[in-house]
PDB file of all heavy atoms in Angstrom:
ATOM      1  N   LEU A 206    -100.832 -39.513  74.664  1.00 95.00           N
ATOM      2  CA  LEU A 206    -100.960 -39.369  76.112  1.00 95.00           C
ATOM      3  C   LEU A 206    -102.174 -38.519  76.470  1.00 95.00           C
ATOM      4  O   LEU A 206    -102.911 -38.830  77.412  1.00 95.00           O
ATOM      5  CB  LEU A 206     -99.682 -38.744  76.686  1.00 95.00           C
ATOM      6  CG  LEU A 206     -98.413 -39.593  76.600  1.00 95.00           C
ATOM      7  CD1 LEU A 206     -97.206 -38.796  77.098  1.00 95.00           C
ATOM      8  CD2 LEU A 206     -98.554 -40.866  77.416  1.00 95.00           C
ATOM      9  N   CYS A 207    -102.374 -37.448  75.732  1.00 96.00           N
ATOM     10  CA  CYS A 207    -103.518 -36.568  75.990  1.00 96.00           C
ATOM     11  C   CYS A 207    -104.828 -37.296  75.747  1.00 96.00           C
ATOM     12  O   CYS A 207    -105.782 -37.178  76.533  1.00 96.00           O
ATOM     13  CB  CYS A 207    -103.430 -35.323  75.109  1.00 96.00           C
ATOM     14  SG  CYS A 207    -102.113 -34.163  75.579  1.00 96.00           S
ATOM     15  N   LEU A 208    -104.899 -38.050  74.658  1.00 96.00           N
ATOM     16  CA  LEU A 208    -106.123 -38.787  74.348  1.00 96.00           C
ATOM     17  C   LEU A 208    -106.402 -39.867  75.391  1.00 96.00           C
ATOM     18  O   LEU A 208    -107.560 -40.093  75.764  1.00 96.00           O
ATOM     19  CB  LEU A 208    -106.028 -39.401  72.949  1.00 96.00           C
ATOM     20  CG  LEU A 208    -106.149 -38.403  71.794  1.00 96.00           C
ATOM     21  CD1 LEU A 208    -105.751 -39.053  70.474  1.00 96.00           C
ATOM     22  CD2 LEU A 208    -107.578 -37.854  71.704  1.00 96.00           C
ATOM     23  N   ASP A 209    -105.344 -40.514  75.884  1.00 94.00           N
ATOM     24  CA  ASP A 209    -105.524 -41.504  76.947  1.00 94.00           C
ATOM     25  C   ASP A 209    -106.083 -40.836  78.199  1.00 94.00           C
ATOM     26  O   ASP A 209    -106.993 -41.368  78.848  1.00 94.00           O
ATOM     27  CB  ASP A 209    -104.188 -42.178  77.274  1.00 94.00           C
ATOM     28  CG  ASP A 209    -103.761 -43.184  76.219  1.00 94.00           C
ATOM     29  OD1 ASP A 209    -104.619 -43.579  75.401  1.00 94.00           O
ATOM     30  OD2 ASP A 209    -102.579 -43.556  76.209  1.00 94.00           O
ATOM     31  N   PHE A 210    -105.548 -39.670  78.534  1.00 94.00           N
ATOM     32  CA  PHE A 210    -106.015 -38.939  79.720  1.00 94.00           C
ATOM     33  C   PHE A 210    -107.469 -38.524  79.546  1.00 94.00           C
ATOM     34  O   PHE A 210    -108.296 -38.721  80.447  1.00 94.00           O
ATOM     35  CB  PHE A 210    -105.133 -37.717  79.950  1.00 94.00           C
ATOM     36  CG  PHE A 210    -105.446 -36.959  81.214  1.00 94.00           C
ATOM     37  CD1 PHE A 210    -104.692 -37.145  82.352  1.00 94.00           C
ATOM     38  CD2 PHE A 210    -106.504 -36.057  81.269  1.00 94.00           C
ATOM     39  CE1 PHE A 210    -104.979 -36.460  83.526  1.00 94.00           C
ATOM     40  CE2 PHE A 210    -106.809 -35.369  82.426  1.00 94.00           C
ATOM     41  CZ  PHE A 210    -106.044 -35.566  83.562  1.00 94.00           C
ATOM     42  N   LEU A 211    -107.797 -37.953  78.405  1.00 93.00           N
ATOM     43  CA  LEU A 211    -109.150 -37.461  78.175  1.00 93.00           C
ATOM     44  C   LEU A 211    -110.158 -38.602  78.124  1.00 93.00           C
ATOM     45  O   LEU A 211    -111.287 -38.474  78.614  1.00 93.00           O
ATOM     46  CB  LEU A 211    -109.195 -36.664  76.866  1.00 93.00           C
ATOM     47  CG  LEU A 211    -108.436 -35.333  76.869  1.00 93.00           C
ATOM     48  CD1 LEU A 211    -108.275 -34.815  75.441  1.00 93.00           C
ATOM     49  CD2 LEU A 211    -109.137 -34.299  77.729  1.00 93.00           C
ATOM     50  N   SER A 212    -109.768 -39.709  77.537  1.00 88.00           N
ATOM     51  CA  SER A 212    -110.686 -40.839  77.416  1.00 88.00           C
ATOM     52  C   SER A 212    -110.960 -41.492  78.766  1.00 88.00           C
ATOM     53  O   SER A 212    -112.063 -41.968  79.026  1.00 88.00           O
ATOM     54  CB  SER A 212    -110.112 -41.882  76.458  1.00 88.00           C
ATOM     55  OG  SER A 212    -109.957 -41.330  75.165  1.00 88.00           O
ATOM     56  N   SER A 213    -109.954 -41.500  79.637  1.00 81.00           N
ATOM     57  CA  SER A 213    -110.118 -42.144  80.940  1.00 81.00           C
ATOM     58  C   SER A 213    -110.747 -41.220  81.967  1.00 81.00           C
ATOM     59  O   SER A 213    -111.124 -41.654  83.043  1.00 81.00           O
ATOM     60  CB  SER A 213    -108.763 -42.622  81.467  1.00 81.00           C
ATOM     61  OG  SER A 213    -107.884 -41.517  81.634  1.00 81.00           O
ATOM     62  N   ASN A 214    -110.855 -39.916  81.632  1.00 58.00           N
ATOM     63  CA  ASN A 214    -111.404 -38.946  82.576  1.00 58.00           C
ATOM     64  C   ASN A 214    -112.471 -38.095  81.923  1.00 58.00           C
ATOM     65  O   ASN A 214    -112.534 -36.884  82.110  1.00 58.00           O
ATOM     66  CB  ASN A 214    -110.292 -38.030  83.111  1.00 58.00           C
ATOM     67  CG  ASN A 214    -109.249 -38.776  83.903  1.00 58.00           C
ATOM     68  OD1 ASN A 214    -109.472 -39.183  85.031  1.00 58.00           O
ATOM     69  ND2 ASN A 214    -108.092 -38.984  83.298  1.00 58.00           N
ATOM     70  N   ASP A 215    -113.306 -38.739  81.127  1.00 53.00           N
ATOM     71  CA  ASP A 215    -114.342 -38.009  80.403  1.00 53.00           C
ATOM     72  C   ASP A 215    -115.563 -37.815  81.295  1.00 53.00           C
ATOM     73  O   ASP A 215    -116.509 -38.580  81.276  1.00 53.00           O
ATOM     74  CB  ASP A 215    -114.731 -38.774  79.131  1.00 53.00           C
ATOM     75  CG  ASP A 215    -115.598 -37.926  78.213  1.00 53.00           C
ATOM     76  OD1 ASP A 215    -116.030 -36.851  78.638  1.00 53.00           O
ATOM     77  OD2 ASP A 215    -115.834 -38.368  77.076  1.00 53.00           O
ATOM     78  N   ASP A 216    -115.528 -36.721  82.114  1.00 50.00           N
ATOM     79  CA  ASP A 216    -116.649 -36.385  82.988  1.00 50.00           C
ATOM     80  C   ASP A 216    -117.519 -35.351  82.305  1.00 50.00           C
ATOM     81  O   ASP A 216    -117.821 -34.293  82.850  1.00 50.00           O
ATOM     82  CB  ASP A 216    -116.140 -35.820  84.308  1.00 50.00           C
ATOM     83  CG  ASP A 216    -115.299 -36.825  85.071  1.00 50.00           C
ATOM     84  OD1 ASP A 216    -115.592 -38.022  84.955  1.00 50.00           O
ATOM     85  OD2 ASP A 216    -114.364 -36.406  85.765  1.00 50.00           O
ATOM     86  N   THR A 217    -117.954 -35.651  81.087  1.00 49.00           N
ATOM     87  CA  THR A 217    -118.626 -34.654  80.276  1.00 49.00           C
ATOM     88  C   THR A 217    -120.071 -35.024  80.010  1.00 49.00           C
ATOM     89  O   THR A 217    -120.378 -36.174  79.687  1.00 49.00           O
ATOM     90  CB  THR A 217    -117.890 -34.486  78.923  1.00 49.00           C
ATOM     91  OG1 THR A 217    -116.530 -34.177  79.195  1.00 49.00           O
ATOM     92  CG2 THR A 217    -118.501 -33.364  78.113  1.00 49.00           C
ATOM     93  N   ASP A 218    -120.923 -34.038  80.115  1.00 46.00           N
ATOM     94  CA  ASP A 218    -122.298 -34.192  79.646  1.00 46.00           C
ATOM     95  C   ASP A 218    -122.284 -33.879  78.158  1.00 46.00           C
ATOM     96  O   ASP A 218    -122.228 -32.728  77.756  1.00 46.00           O
ATOM     97  CB  ASP A 218    -123.209 -33.229  80.411  1.00 46.00           C
ATOM     98  CG  ASP A 218    -124.670 -33.368  80.000  1.00 46.00           C
ATOM     99  OD1 ASP A 218    -124.927 -33.923  78.916  1.00 46.00           O
ATOM    100  OD2 ASP A 218    -125.540 -32.913  80.755  1.00 46.00           O
ATOM    101  N   THR A 219    -122.292 -34.922  77.326  1.00 47.00           N
ATOM    102  CA  THR A 219    -122.111 -34.715  75.892  1.00 47.00           C
ATOM    103  C   THR A 219    -123.279 -33.975  75.262  1.00 47.00           C
ATOM    104  O   THR A 219    -123.147 -33.401  74.185  1.00 47.00           O
ATOM    105  CB  THR A 219    -121.918 -36.071  75.177  1.00 47.00           C
ATOM    106  OG1 THR A 219    -123.021 -36.918  75.495  1.00 47.00           O
ATOM    107  CG2 THR A 219    -120.621 -36.726  75.627  1.00 47.00           C
TER     108      THR A 219
END
Side-chain angles (χ1 to χ4, degrees):
L206 293 175
C207 289
L208 287 168
D209 285 344
F210 185 99
L211 292 166
S212 298
S213 61
N214 296 286
D215 191 351
D216 298 327
T217 305
D218 182 341
T219 55

